[in-house]
Amino acid sequence: MPTELFTFPGHAGHALAARLDRPEGPHLATALLAHCFTCGKDIAAARRIAGRLAGMGIAVLRFDFTGLGHSGGEFENTSFTSNVDDLQAAAEALEGRGMAPDLLIGHSLGGAAVLKAATRLPRVKAVVTIGAPFDPGHVTHNFGDALERIDADGQAEVTLAGRAIKIGKGFVDDVRAETLGPAIAAMKKALLVLHAPRDSVVGIENATRIFLAAKHPKSFVTLDEADHLISRAEDVEYAAEVIAAWAGKYLDLRPPAPPIGAPEGITRVSEADPEGFRQDVQAGPFHHTVADEPTAYGGTNRGFTPYQFLAAGLGACTSMTIRMYARRKGWPLAHVSVDVTHDKVHAQDAGGSTSRIDHFLRRITLEGALDTDQRARLLEIADKCPVHRTLEHGATVRTELVSASA
């Protein structure tokens, strides 16, 4: 997925490091993702969720809160309120790019922060929490004996997830004073609560309280054996799949309209990705599809290759011709399918010269109570399909240059 790195000013003016994961195809919606307490934008859970959503057309912005990762400022001077302010600043940065967020996703304390921020962001339609506390003050149980030093000295060093980090008294006082119930009840957004029953950091009762405080529409999905950080790949993949499927119900994920239709009788192919090979294919005024090349050849693998279109034309014409003949004869043909493969072979293999020619292999499956003679006759009819004849007899192609203003 295409990724853009940039910075934007946080609540105190410090530059916050952000990563914007964009879809390879049409951009249908935007999500803003808040990471867990003292984590960063690049943790595995955030990466995988962003990748899955980008795959369905949702751009995802993830960033490091003030004082974390590659962002400026000192973490000990931050608070829960400042995290919410940073989220609002991130939403404003997206809006400045014409990508105001439609979806908020928050993990752990980041989940509590998106619940609080949602009431400030009227354009957001849906909110997802993962292992989020109902009471932000819940996070202070991770500080252990350091709480007394924080209260006495104004700050103290705490070891979290194997690394030392300074926690200020302002942070502790802020999370202790915060209550999320009123904000959850007032946010008027669709809500998805994801939580693991065995989460030993933030108990499952937090998810219950969040769910009960929210108005409908709301959904509750268990993450079964997952830990708090969703560290196992299979758990985060499941969470990402659930979020992607659920979000589609509340976000307008309809792709943009295809290009204006070509006139009747014309197949128009126009470039859709100047940096790759993707093409919009418009057959007359009503039918649209996409052509592309595999990623190994510099494409994005979002449509048929040109030779796959050619093989599809042969297969479709063959199937239609067989069906038309069987229908006219009243034969019991229940179903027909045609597998077509294409390759370049030496002409001598086909009884010709030593040059290379195109070779199509057509494998036809006929279902129904047909006798041997009927099957043999339908196989003969396959060779009479118009596209088959065109390929065998050859064709001429005339090319004209047309002015762009025409």
Side-chain angles (χ1 to χ4, degrees), residues 30-34 53 61 87-88 90-91 94 100-107 110-111 113-121 123-130 187 189-192 243 246 251:
T30 303
L32 175 56
L33 193 155
L53 293 179
L61 178 73
L87 272 170
Q88 185 168 2
L94 282 170
D102 308 279
L103 173 67
L104 297 182
I105 305 170
H107 183 191
V114 300
L115 290 171
K116 187 72 172 182
T119 57
R120 304 184 187 179
L121 303 173
R123 301 212 26 200
V124 168
K125 302 180 182 70
V127 177
V128 178
T129 65
I130 307 170
M187 70 178 184
K189 322 283 184 186
L191 174 66
L192 170 63
I243 293 170
W246 177 86
L251 307 184

Side-chain angles (χ1 to χ4, degrees), residues 21 54 68 100 132-133 138 160 169 209 220 252 348 356:
D21 299 311
L68 294 173
H138 184 281
L160 297 172
K169 189 174 186 302
R209 295 179 70 187
F220 191 135
D252 184 6
Q348 62 186 7
R356 296 184 72 82

Side-chain angles (χ1 to χ4, degrees), residues 323-345:
R323 170 55 66 189
M324 182 174 60
Y325 187 85
R327 183 181 295 147
R328 188 168 67 243
K329 289 290 188 178
W331 290 354
L333 175 63
H335 184 261
V336 56
S337 65
V338 184
D339 293 344
V340 182
T341 56
H342 167 261
D343 200 1
K344 296 279 189 180
V345 300

Side-chain angles (χ1 to χ4, degrees), residues 8 29 42 114 132 202 207 226 250 272 278:
F8 63 89
D42 296 317
V114 300
V202 178
Y250 300 102
R278 194 166 67 253

